[in-house]
Amino acid sequence: MAGSWATFGVDLHVDLSRTGSGLRRGLTDALREAVRGGRLAPGTRLPSSRSLAADLGIARNTVADAYADLVAEGWLTARQGSGTRVAERPVPVPASAARRPRRSWGPAYDLVPGTPDLASFPRTEWLRASRRALTAAPNEALGYGDPRGRVELRTALAGYLARARGVRADPEHILVCSGFAHGLMLLGAVLRQRGARALAVESYGLDVHWGLIERAGLGSVPLPFDELGTRTAELSELGANGGGPGGTGGAGGAVLLTPAHQFPMGVPLHPDRRAAAVDWARRTGGLILEDDYDGEFRYDRQPVGALQGLDPDHVVYFGTASKSLAPGLRLGWLVLPPGLASEVTAAKGGADWSCGVLDQLTLAEFITSGAYDRHVRASRLRYRRRRDQLVAALAARAPSVTATGIAAGFHAVLRLPPGTERSVVRAAAWHGLAVHGLTSYRHPTATPPPLDALVVGYGTPSDSSWPGALEALCGALP
């Protein structure tokens, strides 16, 4: 029969009708949940196996084996002379949903999405490209320079983006910036100057981006979301009273999308909805801001081309080296519609003050030499292998958890049983994991019902630490 046993001040719910390994698992689960839920505080000394066995009326070996299991998992510690205790664990401070938030605790493994495997940065190839670029650079390249960025990099990007992402790019209409956030700040300023009052966004995304939009003097209005991605047909409804979601009259509105691989949900925007977004932009004079943050990483399907290729006059294409190489390079780029290029260039300023010339020249050489393609191919294989290992581990150890959004990128959404997200995030922290729940990526005014899930990035750990991170993750899942 099932019993609720008050031992050392804590109720343990154990089904005593079980026998053998079933009883052992039941006791292990009950103790684990008591620790996970905070009913057994860090440092609490547990009774001896003999004493607890006598209280529960079960074999001493069953208790000893349950203790051993939890010691191996990291929930308990056992030292001769001090007995068995609840392990000391840092308590995390909730982080913002930024791709690389600050933390006041030290996790053993970082599974927050958005950062690549920095240990695999191609240092040797980058150094070679830097030497070649510096040797070939004219003296004038070391001056203040064109605010659009070095022509060598803009030319290299135009060729690469056309070949790899289907972007229709002219070097004259490419602007180099210091990453996506910098580009969004520039566009926000231009839209505000044009009279926009709001920017349509996706229901799931990053609060740091919504914050940048608000600091530009614009509101952020979330569009509905379902299994086919963002419902772009609602763009017309948002603009019914003002010609666009920004309420800008005849000037049209603007929308920020991640169409190739929605962040964080991971679904590509359905073709009909891609067409609807472009049709809306043409009809109203609206503007689509396309964040192609991980466009190079596709595994189980053909690459989804950039939305910009459908209409370069109404789409601003955002690209970055932060996912393919490293965020510390602070290099991104905008492919701008001809009618917008001069305004965004003016917003950046009279000189290229934000992006180092040597890094721009190095990246240009890195692309034209073929080293960039080789690095992306190697990274794609590495991340696909990790993705496959994650899926296999879930199937073996947490079959109730489903991984979605895994056909591309280097993060996965792990769907959890209803009502369990908060407890799983807390359990992950006890296992030394930095990981975010899906709730932290949901726009405050979004209409879709909340889903319980983890957003797990598998790019950050090095190859040597990935097995340990995967083991810890499985230990925290229900």
Side-chain angles (χ1 to χ4, degrees):
M1 65 177 183
S4 177
W5 298 85
T7 58
F8 48 95
V10 174
D11 284 345
L12 292 180
H13 301 272
V14 184
D15 185 356
L16 298 181
S17 64
R18 297 182 179 184
T19 58
S21 60
L23 180 58
R24 169 183 169 180
R25 283 196 301 271
L27 177 59
T28 303
D29 291 344
L31 287 167
R32 186 190 295 112
E33 287 305 312
V35 176
R36 189 196 307 239
R39 291 183 292 131
L40 281 174
T44 300
R45 181 167 182 170
L46 275 64
S48 67
S49 57
R50 185 189 303 276
S51 175
L52 184 56
D55 286 346
L56 297 177
I58 60 178
R60 179 184 178 186
N61 284 347
T62 301
V63 177
D65 290 343
Y67 279 4
D69 290 343
L70 295 172
V71 168
E73 292 178 14
W75 297 99
L76 305 178
T77 61
R79 293 184 178 88
Q80 188 170 0
S82 62
T84 302
R85 296 179 181 270
V86 177
E88 297 285 351
R89 294 277 184 166
V91 178
V93 175
S96 69
R99 285 176 182 164
R100 191 67 179 176
R102 294 173 179 265
R103 302 185 186 89
S104 61
W105 61 298
Y109 304 106
D110 188 350
L111 297 183
V112 174
T115 302
D117 178 5
L118 301 180
S120 68
F121 182 83
R123 297 172 187 247
T124 301
E125 287 292 336
W126 186 262
L127 183 59
R128 290 171 182 164
S130 178
R131 287 172 175 166
R132 292 194 299 266
L134 185 58
T135 300
N139 293 335
E140 55 87 14
L142 302 178
Y144 288 106
D146 190 326
R148 294 173 299 176
R150 286 299 305 175
V151 66
E152 295 91 341
L153 178 55
R154 291 187 282 117
T155 302
L157 286 171
Y160 172 78
L161 293 173
R163 169 172 54 84
R165 303 295 300 129
V167 172
R168 293 154 65 182
D170 181 336
E172 293 298 305
H173 301 137
I174 294 178
L175 182 140
V176 178
C177 55
S178 62
F180 177 84
H182 183 206
L184 186 59
M185 290 168 61
L186 296 176
L187 263 296
V190 170
L191 290 171
R192 191 71 184 91
Q193 290 172 0
R194 287 187 164 199
R197 296 194 298 272
L199 182 69
V201 298
E202 296 171 312
S203 289
Y204 289 94
L206 291 168
D207 63 355
V208 66
H209 294 167
W210 305 326
L212 289 172
I213 292 168
E214 291 172 2
R215 283 196 288 275
L218 304 172
S220 59
V221 181
L223 294 169
F225 182 90
D226 59 27
E227 68 277 2
L228 299 181
T230 299
R231 286 161 48 183
T232 53
E234 271 77 353
L235 283 168
S236 298
E237 297 178 15
L238 287 172
N241 296 322
T248 58
V255 58
L256 173 61
L257 298 173
T258 51
H261 188 226
Q262 203 283 329
F263 184 85
M265 301 302 290
V267 298
L269 188 61
H270 190 274
D272 291 345
R273 297 184 178 181
R274 289 165 62 94
V278 171
D279 178 68
W280 163 82
R282 290 171 177 166
R283 188 177 66 254
T284 66
L287 193 65
I288 300 170
L289 311 185
E290 178 182 13
D291 180 5
D292 195 34
Y293 66 99
D294 64 356
E296 291 92 348
F297 301 112
R298 297 290 178 270
Y299 311 124
D300 300 327
R301 54 175 166 80
Q302 290 296 315
V304 177
L307 190 64
Q308 189 268 2
L310 296 178
D311 193 339
D313 291 333
H314 292 94
V315 179
V316 178
Y317 177 90
F318 288 70
T320 174
S322 295
K323 306 298 176 286
S324 56
L325 286 168
L329 291 177
R330 306 314 308 142
L331 285 174
W333 42 89
L334 306 178
V335 181
L336 297 161
L340 194 65
S342 61
E343 292 176 75
V344 179
T345 301
K348 188 181 179 187
D352 189 8
W353 54 266
S354 64
C355 307
V357 166
L358 296 182
D359 283 341
Q360 290 186 57
L361 294 173
T362 300
L363 180 57
E365 172 64 24
F366 202 70
I367 292 172
T368 56
S369 69
Y372 187 82
D373 288 89
R374 291 192 294 273
H375 174 70
V376 167
R377 286 195 297 269
S379 299
R380 189 182 296 128
L381 291 173
R382 180 183 306 107
Y383 297 141
R384 179 171 185 164
R385 182 169 60 249
R386 293 185 187 181
R387 189 278 310 263
D388 293 345
Q389 291 168 346
L390 171 62
V391 172
L394 292 176
R397 298 186 54 185
S400 66
V401 177
T402 303
T404 62
I406 57 175
F410 45 83
H411 78 272
V413 176
L414 307 188
R415 299 291 182 91
L416 301 170
T420 62
E421 179 182 306
R422 180 176 295 183
S423 63
V424 173
V425 171
R426 186 166 57 243
W430 278 77
H431 279 266
L433 292 172
V435 66
H436 286 167
L438 180 60
T439 302
S440 62
Y441 295 94
R442 187 173 183 270
H443 194 281
T445 62
T447 56
L451 298 172
D452 286 86
L454 292 184
V455 184
V456 174
Y458 49 86
T460 303
S462 65
D463 285 340
S464 60
S465 64
W466 169 240
L470 189 58
E471 178 72 18
L473 174 64
C474 289
L477 293 173

